Amino acid sequence: MSTYAHAPPLSQSTLTLTPDRSTFNKERHIKYWLRCLKTHLPTAYTSNDSQRMTLAFFILSALDILGVLHTKTTPAERKEYVEWILRCQHPGGGFRGFTGTMLGDEANGEECVWDSANLAATYFACAALMVLGEGMERVKRKECLEWVRGLQRGNGVFGEGIGKGGQVEGSEDMRFCYLAAGVRWMLRRGDMERGKDIDVEGLVGYIEASVDGKTVSPEFIENMTRWLVSRQTLMLQDDEDGLDVVDDEPPDPEAAPAPPVFPPTFHVLGGFSVSIDAATHTNPPSVEVSKYDRQWIGVNGRCNKVADTCYTFWVGGTLGVSSCRNPESVDVF
Amino acid sequence: MGRYSDSEEWEDIIPIPQDDGGPNPLAAIAYTEEYSEAMSYLRAVMAKDEKSDRVLGLTEDIIQMNPAHYTVWLYRADILLELQENLVQELEWLNTIAIRHHKNFQIWHHRQVIMSHIPTMPSSELSFLARMFAKDVKNYHVWSYRQWLVRRFSLWDSELPYVESLLQSDVRNNSAWNHRWFVVFARHTSPEKHSIKNDDADSRVEPEILEGEIEYTKAAILMAPQNQSPWNYLRGVLRKQGKGLVGMKGFAEQFADLEKEDEVRSSHALDFLADLYAEEQEKELSGKALELLARRYDPIRKNYWDYRRNMLGLGQVGA
């Protein structure tokens, strides 16, 4: 077909799916996670040192989802896991990400600004205790909720920790908002419900401002669903595609704006194979969906990006959550 | 035996070893001896909150081994500011770390802290960012930092030509489209309001600017009709204009004539037209566009296109 004149033949692709690749080997998966749980992670994990609590949650949760956490570990081991998590609890509320900033007796009795709790660690510590099914009663809930409240900035967004002079540290990041809401949901129960709360309206306002829509309304959910559904891809795209040269120097701001001229490109995206070249771009060929296209299914996190497993979780999960407001939205995936 | 324990410079410091408690810590890592030792000295000087040249060197050593150690970055920034170190020199050192660890985000937060204490932007800053984009033109952390930089030093006027050069390299670069939106529309919002609302008609933007954006986007769509980025951008600009989609009818129909189903050149044009026809109360045409998407041009999302048909009161597309 002439449409594919510039395309690499799909039959020669190195990404050909074989049945082996799509088989989920549960036993090997369990073996992998048990090794992560019961032996040291390799040295290459050093750059994750300050996120050990996050890794701890992934390990415990994976084994829990695989249904073996309570059969492949002993009660004594699980007690040790609980102790390690609680060891990371900060006296002032919240959890540290790892034991690496615990300063021992040297800093005893004095709050050291360099040994502080971290929001992601706090979320994952609480979640890990819930997965283990014990230890939650030893979480300093009042202090923790108070500390989370202190992480919220004036515009509703959360930081990730308190630094020197009580300053909120960390960039403005939607992920911190998610973590704060999660910690609040896990801990603000029973007696705690009467305590001071975060600025919920401020947080909702920040989220609304970031998404197309004024309030969390059916229209808001509808627009969000539309965007989430459009994250699904048919084809894998080489992430490096399309970038040949980037000028080292910024363009001259004085120069008159030139009319846009786009170079000939070839890409495979969103189920279409489109080839356009300078000679024919005024009359581009029509496009067709090939039978191969349907094999390459994934979910990306941003428009025109390569599919990535983790977005299957985030996009699928969000559609699942939004189905509380719009039961149909999860079925559209 | 080690870099610090053997050094006279550090002989006054008693290192604090890591204490993981019991025999079964979670996510324990097989540290190198070098990292363990450096971290033990770090704990000792953090406990005293020492701010000195030797501690700056120690933070550099640890960052080389673990650039994602968020506390050590905060500590380093504090020391640099307290000792009034040369901050431009710090940026140059950061360049080497950033190039090597281009997925790391602590580096960019640190860069922002340092840059916020520098009154005028060093001339090398933008060419360094161009080097980062040469490695990964969709690097989220670099783009976030660049947005901050544009506001901090009011770089609005020079940004648009830069965005256009990136789109000339790759018209599908969604990060560049996103930055274009920021450059054109964010200067009308206050810095405190970090995000830009895609509200209804926006009277703060001059009509000529909106027209210019529409023409630019149409040219990009003509080049590559099956490129979702400019279609999304077009919808955003039209919303700012407050006139609905209908003015784009002729433009969109050239990519998807419902009478010539074999010659559809863009699924995004079909999606756009489905909304446009619905806006015109042309339910049947809207439903036909959705049917083509479900059956032929975007079958992976068949459930979604059926859901949209359902909202129009139309039935599902047969399998």
Side-chain angles (χ1 to χ4, degrees), chain B residues 165-178:
Chain B
S165 73
L166 288 179
L167 288 174
Q168 280 192 21
S169 294
D170 179 8
V171 71
R172 291 177 177 79
N173 180 349
N174 195 59
S175 301
W177 282 103
N178 187 59

Side-chain angles (χ1 to χ4, degrees), chain A residues 37 39-43 45-52 55-56 59-60 77 80-81 84-85 87 97-104 106-107 112 114 118 155 160 164 169-172 175 206 208-210 212-214 222 225-226 229-234 237 239-243 245-253 258-263 265 267 269-270 272 274 276 281 284-289 294 297 302-305 326 328 331-333, chain B residues 16 18-32 35 39 43 46-47 49 51 65-71 74-75 78 82 105-106 109 126-127 130-131 133-138 140-141 157-158 161-162 164-175 192 194-200 216 219-220 222-229 232 235 239 262-267 271 275 295-301 303-304 307-308 310-311:
Chain A
L37 180 67
T39 69
H40 280 71
L41 297 166
T43 304
Y45 276 81
T46 300
S47 62
N48 289 283
D49 197 17
S50 48
Q51 286 99 48
R52 276 177 63 194
L55 298 177
I59 294 166
L60 293 170
E77 282 171 333
E80 291 272 1
Y81 304 150
W84 186 84
I85 294 166
R87 184 173 187 76
F98 66 142
T99 51
T101 58
M102 292 173 66
L103 306 174
E106 283 294 311
C112 176
W114 308 119
N118 172 273
N155 60 349
E160 65 174 324
K164 234 186 146 171
E169 296 288 353
S171 51
E172 294 199 354
R175 290 174 296 186
Y206 180 82
E208 286 171 344
S210 73
D212 180 17
K214 285 175 184 165
E222 175 65 32
T225 303
R226 179 181 284 229
V229 168
S230 73
R231 299 284 47 80
Q232 210 166 356
T233 63
L234 280 172
Q237 182 209 3
D239 215 10
E240 304 301 319
D241 253 9
L243 180 77
V245 186
V246 172
D247 291 338
D248 251 5
E249 294 300 324
D252 177 12
V261 179
F262 300 105
T265 50
H267 281 259
L269 277 169
F272 285 85
V274 189
I276 296 166
H281 83 260
S286 59
V287 290
E288 224 352 313
V289 178
R294 297 173 199 200
I297 297 167
R302 280 179 279 161
C303 196
N304 291 348
K305 289 270 287 181
N326 178 4
E328 284 175 277
D331 297 328
V332 301
F333 199 36
Chain B
I16 303 175
Q18 182 161 356
D19 185 359
D20 254 326
N24 286 310
L26 287 166
I29 296 166
Y31 302 128
T32 61
Y35 181 72
M39 284 289 287
R43 278 184 285 274
M46 274 183 169
D49 202 10
K51 296 186 183 94
M65 293 184 275
N66 176 9
H69 192 314
Y70 48 80
T71 317
L74 295 177
Y75 189 28
D78 198 42
E82 178 131 340
F105 75 92
Q106 280 85 6
H109 182 60
L126 294 181
S127 53
R131 279 177 65 202
F133 287 138
K135 274 182 92 78
D136 176 7
V137 77
K138 298 175 185 180
Y140 181 82
H141 311 305
D157 292 334
S158 56
Y162 179 64
E164 291 183 5
S165 73
L166 288 179
L167 288 174
Q168 280 192 21
S169 294
D170 179 8
V171 71
R172 291 177 177 79
N173 180 349
N174 195 59
S175 301
E192 292 77 38
H194 188 267
S195 303
I196 312 152
K197 270 197 173 185
N198 291 345
D199 271 346
D200 301 329
Y216 183 88
L222 274 166
M223 280 303 302
Q226 188 54 24
N227 174 11
Q228 199 176 9
S229 295
N232 284 344
R235 283 175 185 266
R239 198 176 298 120
D262 288 341
E263 289 170 33
V264 170
R265 278 149 49 197
S266 167
S267 68
D271 184 9
D275 282 329
R295 179 169 54 79
R296 184 159 177 184
Y297 285 103
D298 195 22
I300 188 70
R301 275 172 276 267
N303 287 348
Y304 175 66
Y307 162 73
R308 290 263 297 270
N310 204 28
M311 286 167 62

Side-chain angles (χ1 to χ4, degrees), chain A:
Chain A
M1 217 181 337
S2 63
T3 309
Y4 293 97
H6 304 274
L10 285 161
S11 55
Q12 288 171 21
S13 166
T14 53
L15 293 165
T16 306
L17 280 181
T18 61
D20 284 349
R21 284 187 58 171
S22 55
T23 302
F24 181 70
N25 189 327
K26 188 177 171 186
E27 287 313 310
R28 287 189 70 180
H29 211 53
I30 290 171
K31 196 174 162 191
Y32 167 78
W33 287 113
L34 283 173
R35 197 173 66 208
C36 292
L37 180 67
K38 300 195 182 192
T39 69
H40 280 71
L41 297 166
T43 304
Y45 276 81
T46 300
S47 62
N48 289 283
D49 197 17
S50 48
Q51 286 99 48
R52 276 177 63 194
M53 190 64 80
T54 307
L55 298 177
F57 168 76
F58 287 158
I59 294 166
L60 293 170
S61 181
L63 287 165
D64 184 42
I65 290 167
L66 290 162
V68 295
L69 180 61
H70 285 75
T71 54
K72 299 278 187 185
T73 60
T74 65
E77 282 171 333
R78 292 196 294 278
K79 188 171 175 299
E80 291 272 1
Y81 304 150
V82 170
E83 290 305 323
W84 186 84
I85 294 166
L86 289 166
R87 184 173 187 76
C88 291
Q89 182 164 219
H90 195 273
F95 287 74
R96 309 166 178 95
F98 66 142
T99 51
T101 58
M102 292 173 66
L103 306 174
D105 297 335
E106 283 294 311
N108 241 3
E110 240 179 283
E111 280 274 311
C112 176
V113 69
W114 308 119
D115 175 27
S116 56
N118 172 273
L119 184 56
T122 304
Y123 174 89
F124 287 115
C126 293
L129 291 174
M130 289 179 80
V131 164
L132 284 163
E134 49 191 312
M136 277 302 270
E137 72 287 351
R138 287 164 65 193
V139 175
K140 297 183 172 188
R141 291 197 294 160
K142 187 160 177 280
E143 289 85 347
C144 186
L145 288 166
E146 188 59 30
W147 171 76
V148 170
R149 221 166 65 81
L151 296 178
Q152 193 170 19
R153 294 186 169 107
N155 60 349
V157 72
F158 283 79
E160 65 174 324
I162 304 285
K164 234 186 146 171
Q167 196 189 324
V168 177
E169 296 288 353
S171 51
E172 294 199 354
D173 193 322
M174 193 60 79
R175 290 174 296 186
F176 299 147
C177 296
Y178 170 80
L179 296 167
V183 173
R184 175 181 178 271
W185 185 83
M186 287 187 276
L187 301 184
R188 198 168 188 277
R189 289 165 184 277
D191 288 355
M192 296 297 138
E193 282 183 52
R194 288 199 294 274
K196 280 189 180 172
D197 200 359
I198 62 166
D199 175 9
V200 175
E201 274 183 34
L203 173 58
V204 172
Y206 180 82
I207 296 167
E208 286 171 344
S210 73
V211 188
D212 180 17
K214 285 175 184 165
T215 52
V216 181
S217 60
E219 188 196 356
F220 177 98
I221 300 282
E222 175 65 32
N223 286 334
M224 188 191 69
T225 303
R226 179 181 284 229
W227 185 82
L228 289 168
V229 168
S230 73
R231 299 284 47 80
Q232 210 166 356
T233 63
L234 280 172
M235 299 288 287
L236 295 172
Q237 182 209 3
D238 179 356
D239 215 10
E240 304 301 319
D241 253 9
L243 180 77
D244 297 315
V245 186
V246 172
D247 291 338
D248 251 5
E249 294 300 324
D252 177 12
E254 304 296 320
V261 179
F262 300 105
T265 50
F266 169 78
H267 281 259
V268 181
L269 277 169
F272 285 85
S273 298
V274 189
S275 76
I276 296 166
D277 58 38
T280 62
H281 83 260
T282 50
N283 185 22
S286 59
V287 290
E288 224 352 313
V289 178
S290 113
K291 63 179 177 174
Y292 299 103
D293 293 11
R294 297 173 199 200
Q295 295 179 4
W296 310 109
I297 297 167
V299 179
N300 66 15
R302 280 179 279 161
C303 196
N304 291 348
K305 289 270 287 181
V306 69
D308 183 328
T309 313
C310 81
Y311 292 109
T312 311
F313 177 85
W314 293 115
V315 170
T318 310
L319 286 168
V321 169
S322 69
S323 69
C324 302
R325 295 287 292 264
N326 178 4
E328 284 175 277
S329 65
V330 74
D331 297 328
V332 301
F333 199 36

Side-chain angles (χ1 to χ4, degrees), chain B residues 237-280:
Chain B
V237 178
L238 292 173
R239 198 176 298 120
K240 290 273 183 196
Q241 207 178 33
K243 290 184 190 164
L245 309 183
V246 71
M248 292 295 122
K249 189 172 174 176
F251 174 76
E253 282 179 338
Q254 65 183 306
F255 306 104
D257 182 342
L258 299 190
E259 299 303 315
K260 296 175 187 164
E261 138 170 6
D262 288 341
E263 289 170 33
V264 170
R265 278 149 49 197
S266 167
S267 68
H268 308 303
L270 283 172
D271 184 9
F272 188 93
L273 284 167
D275 282 329
L276 190 154
Y277 294 139
E279 196 179 288
E280 291 185 309

